[in-house]
Amino acid sequence: MSFDHRKYMPYLPIQLTDRTWPNQVISQAPAWCSVDLRDGNQALIEPMTVEEKKRLFALLVKVGFKQIEVGFPAASQPDFDFVRAIIEDGMVPDDVAIQVLTQSRPELIQRSFEALQGAKKAIVHLYNSTSPVQRKQVFGLDKAGILDIAVQGARLIKSAAEQHPDTQWQFQYSPESYSGTEPDFAVEICNAVIDVWQPSADNKVIINLPATVEMTTPNVYADQIEHFCRHVSQRENVIVSLHTHNDRGCGVAAAELGVMAGADRVEGTLLGNGERTGNMDIVTMAMNLYSRGVDPELDLSGMDEIISVVQDVTKIQLHPRHPYAGDLVYTAFSGSHQDAIRKCLTQRQPQDLWDVAYLPIDPADLGRSYEAVVRINSQSGKGGVAFVLEKDHGIVLPRWMQIALSRVVQGDAEQSAGEIPSQRIWTLFQQHFMVQSPMAVKSYRLEHIENEQINFVVEYKGELISVDAIGNGALSAFCNGLNQHFGLNLDVLDYEEHSLQHSTESQAAAAVQVHCLGGRYQGAAIHEDSLLASMNAIVAAVNNALAEQAVQVA
């Protein structure tokens, strides 16, 4: 049997019976650090060029990141060249700290400081692996040997920084594979590094706790973070940072719970690019905060620009269902969803808190329009179809016409087996409800004596017919004239009229439902003359009756 779960070990959670993180609420954003240019870049089939990195760096600055990991300059010449380029070209704002990664080896640490020469603010990020599998199978060292690697690297970094006093230095240490490391040993090795660096309130150290591989549920990671925060030395001078991956699909959830557990800082990438299934998606986590009224301290309003740049430099297309950013995430196909969205948007006032069914945020906040909120296919209902006509053509349909039109649109969608665009809905509406053949009103004259007297001319099958009639109102007189001359047994059941919302001129849209020739039919019309619009709508309904009944009238 090749698919056998018994070859995997269960992950036993740590014993933290008095955990407090489940009762916490995130009320402010963590400090963010983008690792797109390093952790994200190393995962690409085609790594970014220096120019592509510059473009992405500029975007990260524009979005508002104050800490950006820019590379592993000791590992490759392109990384070194890029770090030098952004420093020498003055691309790094004074309030932005650039971060570089290094292993605990003297020549790599020296090369990293060479790359950072002239930087105003810099973070040197030291790491080494600490988990049992790495200790035993990769490095062949015991705990003491792994701890010594970390301490020696910390000493080298502190010494090198003292040689460059013009730069504002901050140190960061990561026990790589933290999520697979024994909690007590993780605290021990981090405390040893902290003892070397001797942080202060004015210059705190960053201890980054990676879920390098996501191994278990987010609540276990949160327990690990709370345990660490309780036991790390000099907690008041330590910034606890998170770096989660998405192997189990829970990278964002783990980071959110880790912040609830006491972490101060989060590393991740825009839209989640990274090794294997990706890094923690900062866009998603930041927008999760935003959707609950917490300032994410990042400006994601230009979402289309963010997507464009990230796709261009990574050569990876964004999934249309990607949270907050995908093409389809503010789109409703379900008829009941469409109807609920339309009703909520219609009732909403500009000063109201956002509370719209099926839309967790206002798409306009991310530079999106409402035009794509509702799209129509065979699963769509009357509310969605009505929404499209109202938004794109200014026509507000009464409920009974929504029902009639939705049947037409659904039938067309089932036949085409695809999506029905807005223009197709408009065409179907005209073809089925604005029918002006075989009968059409050409002119009318109205007089009021004791009641309404009307003379109107209709064209029927190419012949002009003049009709005189009387009624209690203009439309009553018009219907009486049609009945007297054509024998239609016509009676208006429902009638609505409104000014056309999208028209620059004063146009009226009329919709009617009539009983005619023994059946119920609908019609609609638009005209500058509101009475002519109403008469044309009645005639459109009559034409539908004539077509369905296939009768000849006198």
Side-chain angles (χ1 to χ4, degrees):
M1 180 178 180
S2 60
F3 190 72
D4 187 356
H5 67 279
R6 292 171 297 184
K7 70 180 179 182
Y8 299 103
M9 294 180 292
Y11 193 92
L12 301 178
I14 65 174
Q15 297 303 308
L16 193 68
T17 57
D18 59 342
R19 62 182 62 84
T20 63
W21 63 261
N23 298 322
Q24 305 305 310
V25 175
I26 303 176
S27 58
Q28 67 180 46
W32 303 106
C33 178
S34 160
V35 296
D36 292 82
L37 291 160
R38 205 284 309 173
D39 218 13
N41 185 54
Q42 76 171 11
L44 298 177
I45 297 173
E46 298 179 34
M48 288 177 257
T49 66
V50 170
E51 289 305 312
E52 287 173 331
K53 286 184 178 180
K54 284 183 178 180
R55 186 182 175 198
L56 182 53
F57 181 81
L59 174 70
L60 295 169
V61 170
K62 181 179 180 180
V63 167
F65 286 96
K66 301 305 179 186
Q67 298 179 7
I68 302 172
E69 189 166 84
V70 292
F72 194 155
S76 73
Q77 191 62 41
D79 269 21
F80 187 93
D81 292 342
F82 170 66
V83 176
R84 292 309 310 151
I86 59 174
I87 295 172
E88 293 171 359
D89 294 349
M91 293 181 62
V92 186
D94 291 347
D95 63 344
V96 171
I98 54 175
Q99 176 174 303
V100 299
L101 187 71
T102 183
Q103 293 171 322
S104 183
R105 289 163 50 187
E107 69 277 12
L108 300 183
I109 292 172
Q110 180 182 351
R111 182 69 166 165
S112 299
F113 277 87
E114 290 173 2
L116 291 169
Q117 184 74 32
K120 293 182 176 67
K121 297 175 67 175
I123 301 169
V124 182
H125 180 186
L126 172 71
Y127 79 97
N128 67 306
S129 290
T130 57
S131 66
V133 66
Q134 293 271 13
R135 295 195 309 258
K136 297 173 184 176
Q137 299 188 40
V138 179
F139 296 101
L141 294 172
D142 58 12
K143 289 181 179 178
I146 294 294
L147 190 147
D148 185 63
I149 291 174
V151 169
Q152 293 304 320
R155 288 173 179 164
L156 290 169
I157 285 173
K158 183 178 181 181
S159 176
E162 291 171 352
Q163 307 304 312
H164 303 277
D166 293 337
T167 297
Q168 181 181 333
W169 298 104
Q170 189 170 28
F171 304 147
Q172 173 172 326
Y173 173 68
S174 289
E176 193 199 9
S177 61
Y178 166 78
S179 54
T181 301
E182 305 92 331
D184 290 340
F185 180 57
V187 170
E188 179 185 354
I189 195 168
C190 290
N191 282 343
V193 170
I194 292 168
D195 286 343
V196 172
W197 283 341
Q198 287 299 303
S200 65
D202 295 331
N203 190 17
K204 297 182 179 183
V205 300
I206 301 169
I207 299 297
N208 190 54
L209 305 175
T212 306
V213 176
E214 187 177 33
M215 304 174 69
T216 186
T217 51
N219 63 296
V220 174
Y221 183 68
D223 281 351
Q224 292 173 325
I225 301 305
E226 182 164 341
H227 176 273
F228 184 88
C229 289
R230 291 183 187 183
H231 295 92
V232 68
S233 64
Q234 301 189 55
R235 176 66 181 96
E236 70 280 6
N237 297 327
V238 172
I239 297 169
V240 175
S241 175
L242 309 176
H243 182 115
T244 60
H245 279 255
N246 207 39
D247 297 271
R248 294 167 57 96
C250 300
V252 169
E256 289 179 326
L257 268 56
V259 170
M260 291 165 60
D264 312 293
R265 178 180 185 265
V266 172
E267 294 187 345
T269 62
L270 291 175
L271 306 174
N273 173 51
E275 293 278 21
R276 302 178 309 281
T277 55
N279 282 52
M280 204 288 298
D281 180 356
I282 288 181
V283 167
T284 298
M285 183 171 175
M287 288 306 303
N288 284 352
L289 298 180
Y290 181 83
S291 71
R292 304 316 303 167
V294 177
D295 182 2
E297 299 178 20
L298 296 174
D299 182 0
L300 301 174
S301 60
M303 186 58 69
D304 287 343
E305 179 187 7
I306 293 170
I307 295 168
S308 176
V309 172
V310 172
Q311 287 186 152
D312 285 351
V313 301
T314 63
K315 314 298 188 295
I316 297 173
Q317 293 299 302
L318 187 73
H319 195 284
R321 299 293 184 188
H322 192 104
Y324 298 105
D327 284 344
L328 297 180
V329 297
Y330 306 112
T331 301
F333 288 98
S334 163
S336 60
H337 291 200
Q338 293 165 353
D339 188 55
I341 291 171
R342 183 181 65 85
K343 289 174 179 175
C344 290
L345 292 177
T346 299
Q347 297 177 44
R348 187 175 183 276
Q349 299 299 314
Q351 70 274 13
D352 292 346
L353 290 174
W354 186 259
D355 191 19
V356 174
Y358 302 110
L359 290 178
I361 68 159
D362 183 350
D365 293 348
L366 299 183
R368 301 286 176 86
S369 70
Y370 292 128
E371 294 176 4
V373 169
V374 174
R375 291 165 66 173
I376 306 301
N377 63 12
S378 62
Q379 303 303 305
S380 305
K382 62 184 185 302
V385 174
F387 184 90
V388 169
L389 276 187
E390 183 175 341
K391 294 299 293 183
D392 294 349
H393 302 283
I395 298 176
V396 180
L397 297 182
R399 177 178 172 80
W400 40 268
M401 184 162 276
Q402 292 178 25
I403 295 170
L405 177 59
S406 69
R407 293 194 190 105
V408 171
V409 173
Q410 184 172 20
D412 194 76
E414 290 173 350
Q415 186 173 4
S416 65
E419 182 183 341
I420 306 298
S422 172
Q423 186 56 45
R424 178 60 180 164
I425 294 172
W426 174 238
T427 299
L428 290 170
F429 180 68
Q430 291 176 301
Q431 290 176 346
H432 288 266
F433 299 98
M434 300 178 71
V435 184
Q436 294 299 299
S437 178
M439 186 182 295
V441 181
K442 307 307 291 184
S443 64
Y444 75 92
R445 184 178 71 255
L446 187 67
E447 293 184 66
H448 179 75
I449 304 177
E450 292 182 359
N451 46 27
E452 300 293 339
Q453 297 184 6
I454 190 170
N455 170 264
F456 58 90
V457 176
V458 296
E459 182 178 358
Y460 179 63
K461 293 189 173 181
E463 179 184 356
L464 294 178
I465 302 171
S466 178
V467 179
D468 292 301
I470 298 174
N472 294 328
L475 290 183
S476 173
F478 179 70
C479 290
N480 289 340
L482 290 176
N483 280 329
Q484 292 163 14
H485 194 85
F486 295 103
L488 298 171
N489 296 318
L490 173 66
D491 184 27
V492 175
L493 303 176
D494 297 288
Y495 166 77
E496 287 194 20
E497 178 197 309
H498 65 86
S499 296
L500 199 62
Q501 294 182 354
H502 290 179
S503 177
T504 57
E505 302 175 3
S506 179
Q507 286 189 307
V512 300
Q513 182 169 220
V514 305
H515 190 275
C516 181
L517 296 175
R520 183 173 295 205
Y521 303 93
Q522 296 80 29
I526 297 170
H527 203 278
E528 292 84 356
D529 183 327
S530 61
L531 180 55
L532 195 53
S534 299
M535 290 191 291
N536 281 333
I538 291 171
V539 165
V542 169
N543 285 330
N544 280 331
L546 294 174
E548 184 170 310
Q549 298 291 338
V551 299
Q552 298 291 325
V553 296

